[in-house]
Amino acid sequence: MILKRILLLTSEIVAFCIFFFSGKSPFFLGWSIPLLFFFSALLSYIIFVTKIKKEKDEKASFFLSSSKNVLIFTVIKNDIPSAKRFVEHYSKFPSNFRILIFDDNSADGTYEYLVKASKAFENVEIRRLVRSGRILHPKGEGFEIALKDKKSDFVFICDGDSLISLDDLNFLISTMEKEKLDYVSAQRRNIEKEKVSYYSADVNELFMSLMNEVASLFGGSIFPGSGHLIRKESFKTFKYDDICLSDDTYIGNWITQHKKRGKRVYSASVMELAPEKFSVKLSQMLKWTKNGVLERIRALSTGVLIQYFALFMIIFSFLFPKTYLSLITYDVLAILFGIILGMALSFKKIKGAILGFLAFSLELLFSTAYNVYLYNRAIFSNPRYLESGKFEKTKRE
């Protein structure tokens, strides 16, 4: 743990020294920032529109029906509306698609509803989730059990509100089989309601997909928690540690370490719900940020150190705004935000894309500041809290 602290603190100090000793830049070079923003937005829009069209053309040429046995699983607790939505949607799938729903000890009648519903559909199975006693999210517990299912070739990871069409799921199967992949990810979407929280959540999902593309170039992985089709044989050795603060981050790290091959299919959508209020959406993002950051710190790697070095390069660029390095950082950020806006416009209508981009940019500002706080809290706190999973009173859920 001492070595981790030294490495983490070193990345921060190096970023500070680089900015502190760098030369000043002339003000007139700032014209590059808006130019790069608009150029990258246009290029991003063209790239993703072309990519989505190509995928849709491929989908049209496939025979969208598979005989492979697929286990669609999720974990639900105290959420009857989501349980009904989930069962009513997936119970209509063919018999080779089996639905396994774990109830995490609901106390509001959700379990009773699920048991009653399962009797009406042959392909729906309900189980009470038995916890292992580890510090692990319930969905992580369910995933391990799902991987042991002997009747399925693939496992489709869902949240309780995740819905994918039969055609899109068949397309994921076809893509995985054709390209001999270990997993395939659909694009998560939040488009059910015309609300700022939904606009922001949808852009957030697109951003996470984009960041995964970037992270993969450096040997990293970002693994949002649903919409993934897993080849069970490829994950037969998968198992969570006794302490896992972010089950999604852990899977992403495991995929990288074991060199599993996968891809994202942007034209295949997993529809999910978002919080009704933007304030709740912001709180949700900060919670995910905390769990993901702490899990990455616990499993420290070169990729994590690069990530935190980049984070502090951004922070110090605003503390030392008149340096050449600050200008470079602003240019990089202009390109990044331009790509996000162009990506959003390629997926969404103009109103939703613009409002979502602005709201998500605000979220990203809070998330970045929170990253810095968590990072330094981890360095200067008692190491046994981080190792035990009790840092910042992190809960199992």
Side-chain angles (χ1 to χ4, degrees):
M1 186 59 198
I2 293 177
L3 178 60
K4 284 184 182 180
R5 289 180 176 216
I6 293 173
L7 291 172
L8 290 168
L9 188 58
T10 298
S11 68
E12 183 176 348
I13 293 173
V14 169
F16 172 79
C17 290
I18 288 174
F19 272 99
F20 187 78
F21 294 108
S22 63
K24 292 185 178 182
S25 67
F27 177 76
F28 71 86
L29 291 177
W31 61 264
S32 62
I33 298 172
L35 183 65
L36 287 171
F37 174 79
F38 288 111
F39 177 76
S40 59
L42 178 61
L43 185 61
S44 172
Y45 174 79
I46 294 171
I47 289 173
F48 280 101
V49 165
T50 304
K51 186 177 185 64
I52 294 168
K53 183 180 183 304
K54 181 182 177 182
E55 288 183 2
K56 288 182 177 179
D57 290 342
E58 290 177 359
K59 188 188 299 185
S61 67
F62 274 100
F63 176 64
L64 294 178
S65 180
S66 174
S67 60
K68 292 291 185 178
N69 293 315
V70 180
L71 183 68
I72 301 170
F73 98 95
T74 193
V75 178
I76 290 179
K77 181 172 184 176
N78 294 334
D79 193 349
I80 294 177
S82 289
K84 288 188 66 175
R85 187 171 179 262
F86 198 90
V87 170
E88 290 174 1
H89 179 77
Y90 289 112
S91 62
K92 298 173 184 176
F93 282 27
S95 59
N96 58 309
F97 294 88
R98 293 171 43 243
I99 294 85
L100 174 58
I101 303 176
F102 293 97
D103 177 84
D104 185 25
N105 300 295
S106 295
D108 69 339
T110 298
Y111 177 67
E112 289 73 19
Y113 163 77
L114 288 170
V115 170
K116 183 178 179 181
S118 67
K119 294 177 181 178
F121 305 105
E122 292 184 2
N123 63 337
V124 178
E125 179 183 355
I126 309 301
R127 297 187 198 174
R128 281 282 201 183
L129 184 66
V130 179
R131 295 290 192 92
S132 64
R134 292 174 289 177
I135 296 179
L136 176 62
H137 193 280
K139 194 172 68 182
E141 303 266 18
F143 181 50
E144 279 191 352
I145 297 171
L147 286 175
K148 297 175 183 177
D149 181 73
K150 295 180 179 179
K151 299 178 182 178
S152 56
D153 303 303
F154 303 119
V155 173
F156 187 62
I157 304 175
C158 289
D159 284 338
D161 59 352
S162 304
L163 301 185
I164 188 171
S165 70
L166 179 58
D167 281 353
D168 278 356
L169 188 48
N170 273 319
F171 185 49
L172 294 183
I173 296 169
S174 299
T175 302
M176 182 181 284
E177 291 291 87
K178 179 183 177 182
E179 301 185 28
K180 308 299 181 187
L181 301 172
D182 300 304
Y183 69 95
V184 180
S185 302
Q187 176 59 51
R188 302 207 309 184
R189 303 297 308 276
N190 298 84
I191 56 176
E192 187 166 305
K193 296 183 180 181
E194 298 291 319
K195 288 179 173 288
V196 172
S197 60
Y198 274 77
Y199 295 148
S200 175
D202 198 43
V203 174
N204 187 357
E205 298 292 6
L206 297 174
F207 171 76
M208 294 301 290
S209 298
L210 178 66
M211 286 298 97
N212 189 49
E213 300 275 7
V214 174
S216 64
L217 297 176
F218 300 95
S221 179
I222 295 173
F223 202 80
S226 60
H228 309 284
L229 184 68
I230 301 291
R231 188 185 297 276
K232 206 176 64 175
E233 178 64 21
S234 300
F235 284 73
K236 61 184 179 182
T237 62
F238 180 88
K239 184 176 176 60
Y240 287 104
D241 289 339
D242 289 341
I243 297 173
C244 180
L245 305 182
S246 172
D247 56 311
D248 304 335
T249 303
Y250 186 95
I251 295 177
N253 290 340
W254 189 91
I255 285 173
T256 301
Q257 292 165 8
H258 292 79
K259 299 183 177 4
K260 300 301 179 181
R261 294 180 62 245
K263 67 178 290 185
R264 179 170 304 280
V265 178
Y266 287 98
S267 62
S269 302
V270 177
M271 303 300 179
E272 302 197 341
L273 302 176
E276 295 287 318
K277 296 181 179 179
F278 179 71
S279 60
V280 177
K281 169 68 183 66
L282 177 60
S283 176
Q284 183 186 68
M285 183 182 185
L286 294 179
K287 171 188 170 185
W288 291 342
T289 297
K290 177 179 72 173
N291 292 344
V293 165
L294 297 181
E295 185 59 38
R296 284 192 291 274
I297 290 176
R298 290 184 66 253
L300 193 62
S301 65
T302 302
V304 172
L305 290 174
I306 292 173
Q307 174 187 340
Y308 283 105
F309 177 75
L311 171 68
F312 283 97
M313 289 289 281
I314 294 171
I315 294 299
F316 291 128
S317 71
F318 289 96
L319 295 178
F320 304 95
K322 296 183 179 180
T323 63
Y324 278 106
L325 285 172
S326 292
L327 181 61
I328 293 172
T329 303
Y330 298 157
D331 285 343
V332 171
L333 289 175
I335 293 171
L336 174 62
F337 279 88
I339 292 173
I340 295 170
L341 177 59
M343 190 179 186
L345 288 168
S346 69
F347 278 88
K348 303 169 65 63
K349 294 179 181 179
I350 293 178
K351 175 186 174 183
I354 298 296
L355 288 177
F357 171 75
L358 293 174
F360 175 67
S361 296
L362 180 62
E363 285 189 41
L364 207 55
L365 175 65
F366 282 107
S367 177
T368 300
Y370 195 38
N371 264 281
V372 174
Y373 164 75
L374 290 171
Y375 172 89
N376 285 284
R377 269 296 268 126
I379 291 175
F380 296 108
S381 68
N382 189 323
R384 65 188 175 88
Y385 290 124
L386 185 61
E387 294 299 328
S388 67
K390 296 179 180 179
F391 181 84
E392 290 271 304
K393 298 182 180 179
T394 301
K395 298 180 180 179
R396 296 186 184 185
E397 287 77 25

